[in-house]
Amino acid sequence: MSNIATDLRYEVSHPSPTVTSIIPIIDDIVQSFYNTEGALIPVLQSVQNLRGYLPEEALKYISLKLNIPFSEVTGVVTFYSYFSTVPRGEYIVRVCLGTACYVRGGKEVLSAFRDYLGINVGETTQDKLYSLEIGRCFGACGLAPVVMINDDVHQRVKPSKIKELLKSYQGESNE
Amino acid sequence: MLEITINNKKLTVESGITILQAAKTAEIEIPTLCHLEGKTPLGACRVCLVEVEGTANLLASCATPVRNGMNIETNSQKVRHARKTVVELLLSEHKGNCQFCDRSDDCELRELAHKVGIRGERFVVNEEAPALDESTAALIRDSGKCIKCRRCITICNEVQQVGALFPQYRGYETEISPAFARELETVACVQCGQCAAVCPVGAIIEKDHIAGVWAALENPDKHVVVQTAPAIRAALGECFDYEPGTLVTGKMVTALRLLGFDGVFDTNFAADLTIIEEGTELLTRLKKALVDKEDVALPQFSSCSPGWINFTEYYYPDFLPNLSTCKSPQQMFGAVAKTYYAERMGIDPADIIVVSAMPCTAKKFEAERAEMNDSGYQDVDYVLTTRELGRMIQEAGIDFVNLEDDAMDSPLGLSSGAADIFANTGGVMEAALRTVWEIVTGSELPMENLHVKPIMGLEGVKEVAATITGAVPEWSFLEGVEVKLAVAHGLGNAKKLLEKIKAGEAEYHFVEIMTCPGGCIGGGGQPRFTTDAIRMARIGAIYKEDEGKELRKSHLNPEITKIYEDFLKKPLGEKSHHLLHTEYKQKELVM
Ligand code: SF4
Ligand code: SF4
Ligand code: SF4
Ligand code: FES
C-alpha cells in the first residue's frame, strides 16, 4: 500500500509547483517498476519523457520513492548525456563527435550550429525551439559526419547546409 | 585446491581467491590502492597490475581470481613500468602539495609514488584545484586531491548504507562527491567520517580544531579543561608507533598536562553518569509498559553515538521516540563542567573552555548542535580527533614514549571499568547491565568476569536474552521477565536490525547502536588505517583497562554518588532533565 501512496515525506517539505502536478504520474511510473532490479533508469526515462527534462525536484522525489540515495540518482543522471536536468528545446540537435565524425568534420558542423543558433553545447535557444548537444556515435559512421535531430538521423551534414536543415523543422512546428 | 606459480614460486592455493590474496599467502607483496580488505574489489586504480602468462593485457590482481596452472609475474619489467605509469597518471590528476597536506605523514599515494620510484612529474596538468568543501561541521573535502579510488563510496554506501558519495558526471569530469558535485551538507551525510578513515589521500579529512585549542591554551584568562574519550587511550599510541592495542592512558594524561590544560578529565566520568540516567530511563519505560500499561516506545535505543542520532533523524524518524533522551557522555561532560565543576571551583563558566579528545568526527558536529548549550554556553567548545591530539603532542615537541604515567584530576576524572567499555561495540549494553541488574535484583550480574559474552566481538548484529530472577520488591514486576537485548555496529547493520524490528520480526527492550564498525575504537577520527585485526587489538586493550580496575560498575563510582548528592539530586530529576537530556527532530532526507 505505502508504495502506491504519494510519499508524504516529500509533499510536506517540498510543495513545489513544478513537480506537484506530476507527482501522481511519477507514482504510477514508480509503481509499474516497483521491486524490479534496475528500476531507476526506466523510471528516469519515463519521467523525462513527461517533461522533456528531469527537474531536480522530480529527482528528489524519485530518490525517496525508490529508496535510492539522491547522490546515486544524480550520479546516473549526470553520467548519461541522454538525461537532462534543464528544460530543453522542442528539437534536440545532437552532433556526433565520435571518432569517425570527428575526423570527417563533426567539429566544424558543431561550431556551425553553435554560431547559427547562438548557444553553446548544453544550452537551449531563447524561443525554446532548439537545444544543442554532443553525441557519441550513432552507429552510422560510414556516412559521417552525422547529426541527429530528435529521432531523425541526418548524414554527411555540411556546415553550409545546416540553415536549410533547421528550416525544415521550423516549418513543421509552425504548421 | 589449485596449483599456480607466482614469481617462479610454485603454490597450492584455494580456488575462488584472487591473485592478490594468493600472493599474500606466499608473502609476495603487490602494491594496491583502491583495494579494501574484505570488500568487493573495485579494480578502479590498476595499481595492483600483474602479468599472467598467455594474457596480452596486464590484469588487476585484486579483482582477478586465480585459475589452475596460472603463471604470474608480479614484478617483471613490464609490470614495473606499467605500475609506474599508472601512479604517474594518478599523480597528474592529483592537485596536492605534500608539505602542507594533512596526510603527509600517512598518505598512501605519497608512499606508493616513492615506492615505485617516482622522483619527478611526468604528466603535467595545469589546472586549478577546486574549492574546498567545508560545509559540514565535521569534515573537509578537497576534491582536487581525490584520485577516484572509490573507497569512500564503498564505506559510505555498503558499510554505512548512507550513500552520500557517488561518482557524478563522467569521463574526465567525474567527481566522487555528493549529488551534482555539490557540498556535503546538501545530502543526508551523518558525518561519521568513515570515508575520511579509508581515504588513501588527503581528499577527506576532519575539520581542524587544533588552532582553536592552541589559542585557548595560550589565553591566560581561560580555564581550559580536556575530557578524553575511552576509545582514544587504546589508539593514541599508534600515532607514536606503538603496536595497536597498547594502552597509553597514563602517558596521555601527562602529555595533556604538558600541553597546558588546567584540568585533565575523563569522558568516562560522564559515561558512568550516562549509565545511571539511561538505566533509570529504561526501568521507567519498562514500568510504564508493564505496570501502568502506558503507550511507551520500546525498545529503548542507546544515544551515545552522534552519527547514529543523525541516521535516525534522517532515515528512521519513526524511531525517534525510541532513542534514549540521554545526551552523549561528551555532551553530559560539557554541561556538567560548565555548571557543577564551575560552581565547585568558583570559576565563571564564561571563562571555562571545554575541549574533547574523541575518536570521532561526528562529535565535532554534535558539539555544534544548536541545542547543546544547556549550561548557558556552548557546552563543548572544541573537539579534537585522536589524530589531531597526536599531532598537537608532536607539535609541542613532547617525547611521548618517554613520558611518566599520571592520573586524571578530580572530580570529573574518576570512572569505572564499565565506562571504559563504552569504547567498543557491546560495551554500553554490558555497562548498563552491570548496573541495572544489580539495581533490580540486588545482586551482581551473574556472568563470568562481568562480561556479556554473546554481545562481545565484531559480529554485525548480536543478541542476548536474560530472565530476571530474585527481583527486589521495588522492581518485583520484572520478576521472571525475559529481557531481550540487541547490539549493532556500523549503520548498515543498524539498518538490518531496525528493519527487523519494524517488520515485527524481533522484539527487544534495549538496543545499543554504534555508528562505526567495531564501535568508537573504530571511529572516523582514529589513527589510520583501521583493519578488523586492529579493531580487535584495541577492544582487547579496553577490556584490559576495565578488568584492571577495582571499580567496575558505574553506580559504585563515589564521584557519581557525590554529584547526585550535591548537585543533580536524582536521576531523571529536574536538573538532570535540564542538563543531561535532550530531544531529537526529524531531518529532511532530501534537501
Ligand atoms: S594527499 Fe598525499 S600526495 Fe597529495 S598532497 Fe597530500 S600527502 Fe601529498
Ligand atoms: S561522513 Fe559518513 S555518511 Fe558522510 S560521506 Fe562520509 S562515510 Fe558517508
Ligand atoms: S575521496 Fe578519497 S576515498 Fe574517495 S574516491 Fe577520492 S581518493 Fe578515494
Ligand atoms: S588495488 Fe587493484 S585495481 Fe586498485
Side-chain angles (χ1 to χ4, degrees), chain B residues 138 190-193 305-307 310 330 360-367 515:
Chain B
V190 303
Q191 310 206 25
C192 64
S305 182
N310 274 339
Q330 156 171 289
C360 181
T361 58
K363 291 274 167 198
K364 289 177 188 273
F365 163 80
E366 182 185 50
T515 307

Side-chain angles (χ1 to χ4, degrees), chain B residues 9 29 38 57 66 141 182 211 224 232 254 314 317 342 347 349 361 380 382 397 429 439 455 471 476 499 560:
Chain B
K9 208 168 164 180
E29 202 204 321
N57 296 326
V66 283
R141 291 177 50 252
R182 290 182 190 149
V224 189
I232 70 166
T254 308
Y314 279 126
I347 303 172
T361 58
V380 173
Y382 298 105
M429 182 63 79
I439 291 178
I455 53 169
S476 57
E499 289 298 335
I560 295 290

